[in-house]
């Protein structure tokens, strides 16, 4: 049987297929060369962040506005909006309750001629006293409505403005929310104290005393000169709002500190990446081997 012809070394040398001898140090250098040849890709990775980093940033951009607004800081502001609305409702309700039965007759659902026991001179006297008493309480209701409405609207504006992540929000907006809530907490405590002082001063007047006597003479003992339930509700919800503003001040302060640390860390990382971008590592040139 004929065997395939084997190529001899001399035949390969005559054909020019001379194999270059492999030096021992080339084997050890090959792995280093392969590693160093991949170093330039480091700068490419520095210029372009990895895929998981791009995914995180893309996910942050896709965060819904409701998620950012419903953070702890946002929930506290939303609750303060609701309590401001309750204060507003209670101020109006307290004024309506303390205005007297004769004033309620003008609402259309109360017939003063059939349901009111007072007649003649006493009825006219009660109407005059109710009008005077309502006029004396007018500054309290006007001030309470204006104050609670202003605080509620401003709180709502801060809620709507917080539809972005904290590190994307304006620093002035964060500091404005901090100052507003800190001032609001103190202002609400002061406002509640002034409101109760004003109510008790009005209830201590002769108008309120004569009015109480006329109503009590005809069986309406609940129309007295004590602090009413509506006024107490105003004070209660006002203090709750002050507590919410205090909690919001603490949370906003913590958010500002977190944003500062985040920005400093991001700046530090950018400084560390800058040398890699400007001076990328290069692979060392291989020494050419020549055959003798």
């Amino acid at each position: 049987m004929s065997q395939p012809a084997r190529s001899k070394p001399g035949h390969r040398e005559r054909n020019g297929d001379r194999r270059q001898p492999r030096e021992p140090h080339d084997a050890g250098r090959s792995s280093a060369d392969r590693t160093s040849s991949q170093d330039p890709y480091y700068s490419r990775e520095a210029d372009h962040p990895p895929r998981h980093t791009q995914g995180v940033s893309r996910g942050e951009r896709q965060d819904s506005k409701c998620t950012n607004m419903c953070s702890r800081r946002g929930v506290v502001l939303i609750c303060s909006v609701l309590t401001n609305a309750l204060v507003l409702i209670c101020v109006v309700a307290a004024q309506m309750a303390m205005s007297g039965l004769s004033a309620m007759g003008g609402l259309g659902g109360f017939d003063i001629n059939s349901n009111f026991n007072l007649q003649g001179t006493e009825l006219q006297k009660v109407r005059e006293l109710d009008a005077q008493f309502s006029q004396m309480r007018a500054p309290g209701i006007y001030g309470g409505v204006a104050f609670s409405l202003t605080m509620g609207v401003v709180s709502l504006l801060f809620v709507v403005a917080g539809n972005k992540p904290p590190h994307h929000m304006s620093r002035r907006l964060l500091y404005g929310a901090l100052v507003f809530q800190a001032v609001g907490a103190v202002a609400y405590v002061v406002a509640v104290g002034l409101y109760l002082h004003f109510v008790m001063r009005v209830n201590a007047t002769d108008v309120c005393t004569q009015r109480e006597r006329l109503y009590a003479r005809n069986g309406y003992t609940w129309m007295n000169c004590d602090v009413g339930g509506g006024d107490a509700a105003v004070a209660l919800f006002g203090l709750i709002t002050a507590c919410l503003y205090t909690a919001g001040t603490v949370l906003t302060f913590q958010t500002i500190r977190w944003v500062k640390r985040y920005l400093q860390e991001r700046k530090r990382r950018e400084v560390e990446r800058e040398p890699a971008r400007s001076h990328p590592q290069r692979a060392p040139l291989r020494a050419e081997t020549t055959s003798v």
Side-chain angles (χ1 to χ4, degrees):
M1 295 179 65
S2 60
Q3 296 180 356
R6 298 180 179 177
S7 60
K8 297 180 179 180
H11 181 68
R12 286 201 304 268
E13 292 177 0
R14 286 194 299 268
N15 292 338
D17 294 337
R18 181 178 299 175
R19 181 176 296 178
Q20 297 178 357
R22 185 174 181 180
E23 298 180 2
H25 63 277
D26 289 341
R29 191 178 60 185
S30 60
S31 60
D33 292 342
R34 287 194 299 268
T35 304
S36 60
S37 63
Q38 295 176 358
D39 290 339
Y41 289 96
Y42 174 77
S43 60
R44 193 177 303 173
E45 292 179 357
D47 294 336
H48 303 283
R51 292 182 178 178
H52 70 274
T53 306
Q54 294 178 357
V56 171
S57 60
R58 192 178 300 113
E60 289 181 356
R61 288 194 299 268
Q62 293 176 355
D63 282 345
S64 61
K65 295 182 179 180
C66 182
T67 303
N68 297 317
M69 293 170 60
C70 294
S71 61
R72 292 184 302 173
R73 181 171 49 84
V75 169
V76 170
L77 277 173
I78 292 173
C79 292
S80 65
V81 173
L82 296 178
T83 53
N84 275 294
L86 290 175
V87 170
L88 176 63
I89 293 172
C90 290
V91 168
V92 177
Q95 177 66 19
M96 293 177 62
M98 297 301 295
S99 59
L101 296 178
S102 61
M104 293 180 184
L107 299 177
F110 182 83
D111 189 1
I112 192 172
N113 295 324
S114 59
N115 296 325
F116 205 39
N117 296 330
L118 295 175
Q119 296 179 358
T121 307
E122 290 185 349
L123 177 59
Q124 187 66 27
K125 184 66 175 178
V126 166
R127 287 179 176 177
E128 293 177 358
L129 292 175
D130 286 342
Q132 293 178 11
F133 187 76
S134 298
Q135 187 176 3
M136 294 172 63
R137 285 179 59 96
I141 183 174
Y142 292 149
V145 168
F147 180 77
S148 59
L149 185 61
T150 302
M151 298 295 289
V153 170
V154 176
S155 300
L156 184 60
L157 291 178
F158 279 112
V159 171
V160 175
N163 58 359
K164 299 178 182 178
H167 56 280
H168 290 165
M169 294 175 59
S170 173
R171 299 287 292 276
R172 293 181 179 179
L173 184 62
L174 289 174
Y175 281 110
L178 177 66
V179 173
F180 167 74
Q181 292 180 101
V183 174
V186 178
Y188 246 107
V189 174
V190 175
V192 168
L194 290 176
Y195 181 81
L196 292 178
H197 175 72
F198 174 79
V199 169
M200 289 186 293
R201 191 181 66 177
V202 172
N203 291 346
T205 57
D206 294 337
V207 175
C208 184
T209 303
Q210 296 178 14
R211 184 169 169 266
E212 180 183 8
R213 291 174 182 175
L214 286 176
Y215 277 111
R217 189 181 305 170
N218 291 272
Y220 300 102
T221 56
W222 53 269
M223 190 68 70
N224 51 41
C225 293
D226 298 331
V227 177
D231 297 326
V234 171
L236 175 62
F237 288 119
L239 294 178
I240 292 175
T241 307
C243 294
L244 289 173
Y245 281 139
T246 303
T249 302
V250 175
L251 293 175
T252 306
F253 179 74
Q254 293 177 354
T255 302
I256 293 175
R257 291 182 59 185
W258 178 85
V259 170
K260 285 183 178 180
R261 290 196 301 265
Y262 175 82
L263 295 177
Q264 291 176 358
E265 183 68 17
R266 188 174 67 178
K267 186 177 181 180
R268 184 183 64 82
R269 291 179 180 179
E270 290 178 355
V271 171
E272 290 178 355
R273 290 177 181 178
E274 190 64 27
R277 294 179 182 177
S278 57
H279 302 289
Q281 297 181 4
R282 297 181 179 178
L285 298 176
R286 292 187 180 182
E288 297 181 358
T289 57
T290 58
S291 61
V292 180

